[in-house]
């Protein structure tokens, strides 16, 4: 009797467990941010990003957009805008999906609500509008 199928099954089990953990951490970031615990949401976002493989650019962009939102909720405007810019870099050459567009819209809305007079809010707003308009 060969042990190869057992190794394959174990490997698949570990891969599935890892994937489920990544999903759980991403959901933790969303839930923490929605209940107002932005610091823990940011930590969960960083943890989620560390577990998403580099080739999964769309997933990384979505997690990075979530990170930007948690940072703006903490009023960390410079890191938040840097994170939001990374989303556009990750999606460069690809259309921005509707859900991600909506999340970036939430980010920008919260940015101008929390810091309407900040020059960074105006500068980034102009850039985001031009980035959003690309196909």
């Amino acid at each position: 009797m060969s042990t190869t199928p057992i190794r394959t099954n174990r490997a698949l089990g570990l891969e599935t467990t890892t994937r489920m953990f990544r999903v759980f951490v991403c959901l933790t970031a969303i839930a923490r941010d929605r209940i107002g615990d932005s610091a823990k949401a940011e930590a969960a976002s960083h943890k989620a990003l560390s577990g998403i493989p580099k080739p999964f650019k769309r997933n990384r962009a979505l997690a990075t957009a979530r990170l930007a939102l948690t940072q703006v909720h903490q009023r960390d405007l410079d890191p938040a805008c840097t994170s939001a810019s990374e989303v556009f870099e990750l999606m460069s050459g690809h259309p921005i999906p509707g859900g991600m567009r909506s999340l970036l819209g939430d980010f920008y809305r919260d940015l101008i609500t929390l810091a309407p007079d900040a020059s960074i809010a105006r500068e980034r707003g102009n850039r985001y509008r031009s980035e959003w308009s690309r196909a």
Side-chain angles (χ1 to χ4, degrees):
M1 186 172 209
S2 173
T3 59
T4 304
I6 293 171
R7 286 187 197 137
T8 304
N9 289 340
R10 286 184 182 162
L12 288 174
L14 180 60
E15 183 180 323
T16 301
T17 302
T18 303
R19 221 180 276 149
M20 288 172 50
F21 177 74
R22 274 187 256 151
V23 170
F24 174 75
V25 173
C26 291
L27 291 174
T28 299
I30 294 167
R32 289 284 184 185
D33 194 39
R34 291 214 174 146
I35 63 171
D37 193 354
S38 298
K40 287 186 179 175
E42 181 180 4
S45 292
H46 282 291
K47 191 171 189 172
L49 274 169
S50 71
I52 301 172
K54 299 275 185 204
F56 291 40
K57 291 187 177 196
R58 183 174 170 173
N59 292 7
R60 292 186 65 77
L62 194 55
T64 303
R66 177 62 55 192
L67 172 63
L69 196 56
T70 64
Q71 290 169 327
V72 82
H73 290 162
Q74 295 177 79
R75 291 172 172 72
D76 283 340
L77 303 184
D78 287 329
C81 290
T82 300
S83 295
S85 294
E86 286 178 36
V87 173
F88 293 112
E89 291 168 21
L90 286 165
M91 294 304 295
S92 179
H94 303 284
I96 298 173
M100 194 178 305
R101 226 177 251 273
S102 178
L103 191 57
L104 287 167
D106 292 345
F107 166 80
Y108 181 61
R109 182 197 62 233
D110 290 354
L111 177 66
I112 60 173
T113 299
L114 295 171
D117 297 329
S119 62
I120 195 164
R122 288 188 302 276
E123 291 167 13
R124 298 298 170 125
N126 291 334
R127 176 179 179 205
Y128 297 154
R129 276 191 292 280
S130 69
E131 293 284 342
W132 281 325
S133 64
R134 69 183 165 98

